Amino acid sequence: MANEVLTEYANLSHSFSNIATDEYALHCHTVFEVYYFIRGQVSYLVEGKRYQPTPHSVLLLAPGTFHGVRVESSQLYERYALHFQKDALIGPRQQLLLQPFYDQDIYFEGVDAFHLEEYFRSMLECEPNEQQQELMSIRLEGMLSQIVRMHRLGNTSGVAQQSGTIDQIISFLNLSLGEPITLESLSERFFLSKNHLNCLFKQATGTTVRNYLIHKRVAAAHEMIRLGTPASIAAERCGFGDYSAFFRAYKKILGVSPTNVSRGK
């Protein structure tokens, strides 16, 4: 069950569930996300790091972040999930308001004092009329200003440490999306057998190296296309040697073809 408001640049849902899941619902999208956990028993996997959210905690997810949630029990699970494009913010304020999403610390506990839940509720109250987009943007900027304050004060905890090797592999992959990468080359670089490397990677991230790379490359290519780069060039620069393979992956992950992406969207 969910309450939802959808505008051109933002989508907010307030959902409830009492169904446990066996696997992480892993994905990688092209927008910013504020995940606000209210209650339940879940674990959240972000780029190989596992979080155990406590009531009224928040996770900040930048575009291209590989992540997903697993519901651990049938206990009632409640959360807000806000997805938005940076174009929802006025240009001069974008850098300041989006800075916390790119920091190493993206998880914050005990955020009641910052009144984030009140901002979510106010956004859900935005009626679908000619003022909805403007009102959503105003309330979004107000909430993000609170997140900037929260980020500066700091209140992070609850992250399970991943192995140094996996951290190095993930960092290398993210810095090398445009380069040809194979399990063979990774195993040689990190002195691990292919099977052992893929096993460690899947234990940490919930997916294979190949699937991780495809999602990351599609997200990176989408951003380039959005900014005006032709789809074929974006595909090549993001490590897809074959355009037809890129086209299939892009449509499967994002639900549209790369030729249908509008600039700025």
Side-chain angles (χ1 to χ4, degrees):
M1 182 177 66
N3 300 316
E4 188 175 45
V5 59
L6 175 65
T7 68
E8 184 178 4
Y9 297 113
N11 179 21
L12 170 63
S13 66
H14 178 206
S15 64
F16 306 81
S17 173
N18 58 0
I19 301 174
T21 56
D22 295 327
E23 303 290 338
Y24 286 94
L26 293 166
H27 56 287
C28 179
H29 47 60
T30 59
V31 293
F32 293 87
E33 178 178 352
V34 180
Y35 170 87
Y36 188 87
F37 177 76
I38 300 175
R39 54 178 164 168
Q41 187 176 2
V42 305
S43 59
Y44 212 98
L45 188 62
V46 183
E47 296 286 350
K49 294 182 180 180
R50 286 178 172 81
Y51 298 84
Q52 301 289 335
T54 59
H56 301 286
S57 59
V58 66
L59 270 163
L60 308 177
L61 304 167
T65 302
F66 202 80
H67 64 283
V69 66
R70 183 174 66 193
V71 183
E72 304 287 0
S73 77
S74 59
Q75 179 182 343
L76 184 63
Y77 165 44
E78 180 182 3
R79 58 84 168 147
Y80 288 96
L82 172 66
H83 300 86
F84 66 95
Q85 300 175 30
K86 67 178 181 180
D87 294 332
L89 311 175
I90 295 176
R93 295 199 281 268
Q94 285 181 0
Q95 184 175 358
L96 171 64
L97 294 176
L98 296 177
Q99 181 182 352
F101 291 84
Y102 295 104
D103 192 44
Q104 183 176 359
D105 296 323
I106 59 168
Y107 174 70
F108 301 84
E109 292 185 338
V111 299
D112 312 54
F114 298 96
H115 309 292
L116 299 186
E117 193 169 359
E118 294 178 18
Y119 283 97
F120 288 123
R121 290 173 182 165
S122 71
M123 289 184 211
L124 285 174
E125 293 171 357
C126 291
E127 299 288 341
N129 54 40
E130 66 277 3
Q131 295 179 321
Q132 184 186 47
Q133 179 66 49
E134 184 176 358
L135 289 174
M136 278 288 288
S137 295
I138 291 170
R139 294 171 188 184
L140 171 61
E141 290 196 2
M143 185 187 69
L144 292 178
S145 68
Q146 286 290 81
I147 289 176
V148 169
R149 177 169 167 259
M150 177 188 74
H151 175 257
R152 288 174 175 171
L153 292 174
N155 191 21
T156 60
S157 61
V159 59
Q161 296 298 317
Q162 64 187 16
S163 76
T165 300
I166 291 298
D167 195 36
Q168 292 174 32
I169 292 172
I170 289 175
S171 295
F172 173 77
L173 292 177
N174 281 294
L175 291 172
S176 309
L177 294 178
E179 303 299 323
I181 299 173
T182 64
L183 272 179
E184 288 81 2
S185 63
L186 282 178
S187 65
E188 291 176 4
R189 184 180 185 89
F190 292 98
F191 306 103
L192 297 168
S193 71
K194 291 188 295 182
N195 289 338
H196 187 47
L197 187 151
N198 216 23
C199 182
L200 286 177
F201 192 87
K202 190 167 185 179
Q203 286 177 352
T205 66
T207 192
T208 63
V209 171
R210 180 178 181 275
N211 193 50
Y212 179 88
L213 274 174
I214 289 174
H215 278 77
K216 285 286 189 167
R217 284 169 166 165
V218 164
H222 172 85
E223 180 63 12
M224 293 178 66
I225 295 169
R226 190 186 71 84
L227 295 175
T229 302
S232 58
I233 295 176
E236 182 179 357
R237 290 179 180 174
C238 292
F240 287 95
D242 179 69
Y243 182 77
S244 62
F246 164 70
F247 187 94
R248 290 193 300 271
Y250 190 102
K251 193 167 184 179
K252 180 179 179 180
I253 292 171
L254 298 183
V256 296
S257 74
T259 54
N260 288 338
V261 177
S262 300
R263 291 191 180 188
K265 298 289 187 68

